[in-house]
Amino acid sequence: MTTSASPSLAVNVGGIAMQNPVTVASGTFGYGVEYADWLDVRRLGAITVKGIRLEAWPGNPLPRHVEVPGGLVNAIGLQGPGVAGFIAQYLPRLREFGVPVIVNIWGTTVEEYAEVAARLSDVPGIAGLEVNVSCPNVKAGGSAFGADPATMAGVVAAVRRRTPLPVIPKLAPNVPAMGPFARAAAEAGADALSLVNTLPAMVIDIERRRPVLANRVGGLSGACIHPVAVKHVYDAAQAVKLPILAMGGIQEAREAIEFLIAGATAVAVGTANFIDPSTPLRVIDGIRDYLVRHQMRDVAQLTGSLAVS
Amino acid sequence: MPLGEAAILEQTPVSGGYCLLRLAAPELAAAAQPGQFIHLRIPGLETTALRRPFSIYRAGAGELAILYKRVGRGTDVLATLPAGTRLSVMGPLGNGFPLASGDRLPILVGGGYGVAPLVFLATRLPRKGVVLLGGRRAADVLCIADFEALGWSVEVATQDGSLGTEGLVTDLLGRHLDAGAPPAELFACGPDGMLRAVGTRAIAAGCRAWLSLDHHMVCGIGACLACVQRLREADGSIHIARVCKDGPIFEARTIVWEDPA
């Protein structure tokens, strides 16, 4: 065996062929175009865009975020241009990047999720749909559909019926056990799983004795949630055979490699994009270096390689 | 746009908890326009700590300077960093002030450290005008000497009367916006209440006011939608702008102020 050959980083996430296992987390990378000036987005394994529903959506009042030790609590509230706005304003430029585009979708009803999926299936240039059944920041939609395996599976099944694209439900971390959710998603026709969304969180301004966020509560992301996410990825990988797209607190390659060892096929960099836009590229390089150092020829050898005595 | 590094040349305490920070940043300095900002990563904070945005106070000759107040964890750490420290810098970011044509008298209105981008603006406007500076007390009124050295006329108001007129900086606007006064164009940076008052008076007087909004930012490049602002378009429709990318400078007529919290 030659050790000089560069290891293969290519992965397939439920039908989405990625040149490497690193994408970006929905909501942390806009619609891709915003970051094009700051890193070579063509090097990413895929671009996952901010959540889209049927119509444009204004999001929440300000303040929408607050920094906490090791993390960020946000309540943006899924502000977005709607399906037609996304297709007109962003998709043409996204296609030019030449990497798979994963669109995060949400709705206020099961029918809306399915309709968004159907509309996005009619246009070229979309590689897959990440189904957001776990956003903590909108009253209707999001987490309302993700708190119970059967309800979540109902959304996945409805989307499945209306699209030939890979369907990747994005699941919530605030559940007693991930296994039942992973199995329910698989049975409903999911092609892969996206783990995890933000953790529901709250920060209080003690001087004013008021919530800091206008939405009162938000979702916690950043380095501090990484171990929580690793546990969920590990549990899901034990429960189902579906490929897992893992996210939560990746700052450097080390955290991404943990996810892969725990059972993930690919990973997404989230909050770290805000702090250092070059993070995803550093993670790609770091995974490659790790594979070389451990004499692995293919990143697939890393997936699920956890030794449990 | 570069994601670069810049070394601290010097940090100087100014007064009342304000600091002047000079960076060696030739490319940033050459590209910077008044009203734009830089997004600094502060070393020593934990890895997930967000960047901090700072208005550009001066730019030229390979250097870029900011004027900041210690208001929390980030600026407390920033104030301790010695010369030679290298900082990760994104910028220059944002739209910047429009540079007036010179046919109207520029009036700059600054509150507290909001004065910083107005100094930079005063160095670039084609016509010298009037600067109105305000603060809670004398120590909050910065940069008077900068403006005077540039040949601008300076008027001051403090809430405790320790410097200039006792009252708010917007109280100084009156005679400059009278019917008999020369046609003016306003440029303002400071707290929201001040900006809103400047905008209201400018609209009443029929002149334009360019206001620099200070919303808390996350990404600084228009991706995360944490710092949005509702704007009213010319046709009356409402548009949600990103302060970091589409702003931070907006004309007073377009801003839809949210009701006080």
Side-chain angles (χ1 to χ4, degrees):
Chain A
M1 177 185 116
T2 62
T3 52
S4 59
S6 191
S8 171
L9 290 180
V11 296
N12 191 299
V13 178
I16 303 171
M18 295 166 54
Q19 61 182 333
N20 62 61
V22 181
T23 182
V24 288
S26 177
T28 68
F29 210 71
Y31 302 95
V33 302
E34 295 87 345
Y35 273 94
D37 290 337
W38 296 93
L39 74 161
D40 184 357
V41 295
R42 293 165 303 178
R43 285 188 59 202
L44 296 171
I47 295 174
T48 309
V49 300
K50 193 163 166 55
I52 298 289
R53 69 178 287 248
L54 205 50
E55 305 295 338
W57 188 254
N60 288 328
L62 269 56
R64 289 178 167 186
H65 79 279
V66 54
E67 185 181 277
V68 295
L72 173 69
V73 182
N74 91 81
I76 305 295
L78 296 172
Q79 180 185 327
V83 169
F86 168 71
I87 291 170
Q89 292 172 47
Y90 298 107
L91 194 54
R93 179 117 188 260
L94 272 167
R95 279 192 205 109
E96 291 173 11
F97 296 145
V99 298
V101 174
I102 300 171
V103 180
N104 181 289
I105 65 170
W106 68 286
T108 54
T109 63
V110 176
E111 294 72 27
E112 183 177 358
Y113 275 95
E115 184 63 24
V116 173
R119 299 253 191 120
L120 291 171
S121 305
D122 289 340
V123 293
I126 297 173
L129 303 177
E130 181 178 62
V131 185
N132 184 355
V133 286
S134 46
C135 178
N137 295 329
V138 289
K139 286 192 179 68
S143 59
F145 294 104
D148 164 75
T151 311
M152 181 274 298
V155 175
V156 174
V159 168
R160 173 78 291 159
R161 283 193 291 274
R162 299 288 299 277
T163 184
L165 293 171
V167 172
I168 311 171
K170 182 169 183 176
L171 303 180
N174 49 312
V175 295
M178 190 53 75
F181 286 86
R183 282 189 289 271
E187 285 161 16
D191 298 288
L193 299 177
S194 172
L195 306 177
V196 293
N197 211 316
T198 56
L199 284 147
M202 186 175 193
V203 180
I204 294 169
D205 177 340
I206 62 167
E207 296 305 321
R208 297 165 64 231
R209 294 195 289 276
R210 295 170 70 99
V212 172
L213 298 172
N215 190 53
R216 299 197 304 278
V217 296
L220 176 65
S221 64
C224 62
I225 76 164
H226 181 254
V228 177
V230 171
K231 165 79 162 55
H232 281 314
V233 168
Y234 174 70
D235 287 346
Q238 300 303 303
V240 295
K241 296 249 184 290
L242 293 179
I244 295 168
L245 172 59
M247 67 206 72
I250 295 176
Q251 308 288 309
E252 302 292 342
R254 192 188 70 80
E255 293 89 7
I257 292 164
E258 267 193 73
F259 278 136
L260 297 173
I261 294 170
T265 295
V267 298
V269 175
T271 305
N273 293 315
F274 299 145
I275 298 150
D276 183 347
S278 70
T279 306
L281 304 187
R282 253 199 352 269
V283 171
I284 295 166
D285 293 340
I287 293 172
R288 183 186 293 108
D289 292 347
Y290 178 92
L291 295 175
V292 169
R293 193 154 53 82
H294 288 265
Q295 298 180 320
M296 291 175 161
R297 285 164 290 119
D298 193 311
V299 68
Q301 292 173 266
L302 204 50
T303 292
S305 62
L306 183 71
V308 184
S309 56
Chain B
M1 245 176 299
L3 171 62
E5 282 202 335
I8 297 177
L9 291 169
E10 188 187 28
Q11 289 219 72
T12 321
V14 181
S15 71
Y18 296 89
C19 298
L20 169 67
L21 170 68
R22 287 170 49 226
L23 293 167
E27 288 175 18
L28 280 175
Q33 296 296 318
Q36 288 189 300
F37 65 96
I38 57 173
H39 215 20
L40 285 183
R41 188 169 184 190
I42 298 177
L45 299 180
E46 68 277 6
T47 51
T48 311
L50 298 172
R51 285 172 183 269
R52 266 63 173 167
F54 297 93
S55 289
I56 299 166
Y57 162 59
R58 293 252 188 198
E63 285 185 24
L64 188 139
I66 61 172
L67 194 59
Y68 67 93
K69 185 178 186 181
R70 290 174 60 170
V71 293
R73 235 159 41 96
T75 43
D76 280 349
V77 172
L78 182 61
T80 67
L81 301 176
T85 308
R86 298 188 67 78
L87 302 176
S88 169
V89 185
M90 292 171 73
L93 302 175
N95 60 352
F97 287 108
L99 294 181
S101 61
D103 57 352
R104 287 181 157 249
L105 180 75
I107 300 177
L108 315 186
V109 187
Y113 57 93
V115 69
L118 301 179
V119 172
F120 190 17
L121 179 65
T123 67
R124 298 282 174 93
L125 284 174
R127 177 176 170 182
K128 299 183 200 313
V130 182
V131 187
L132 311 179
L133 301 179
R136 203 160 296 162
R137 58 207 165 102
D140 296 315
V141 181
L142 309 173
C143 306
I144 294 174
D146 291 84
F147 290 110
E148 288 179 345
L150 290 164
W152 286 62
S153 162
V154 180
E155 297 174 28
V156 174
T158 50
Q159 289 173 44
D160 68 356
S162 54
L163 190 68
T165 309
E166 181 175 337
L168 299 173
V169 68
T170 41
D171 299 337
L172 303 173
L173 266 174
R175 68 184 180 86
H176 297 288
L177 298 178
D178 280 350
E185 183 161 16
L186 275 60
F187 303 84
C189 185
D192 267 6
M194 185 204 94
L195 295 177
R196 198 167 175 167
V198 169
T200 303
R201 284 167 183 248
I203 291 167
C207 60
R208 285 189 295 186
W210 302 98
L211 309 180
S212 178
L213 298 188
D214 182 21
H215 288 6
H216 287 276
M217 294 173 183
V218 177
C219 71
I221 60 172
C224 73
L225 308 182
C227 66
V228 294
Q229 171 65 47
R230 289 194 300 146
L231 298 184
R232 186 177 292 107
E233 302 291 333
D235 66 2
S237 64
I238 299 294
H239 161 66
I240 304 177
R242 302 159 298 179
V243 170
C244 66
K245 179 78 177 178
D246 307 313
I249 317 296
F250 299 102
E251 208 283 312
R253 280 161 189 75
T254 65
I255 297 172
V256 180
W257 295 100
E258 306 300 330
D259 290 324

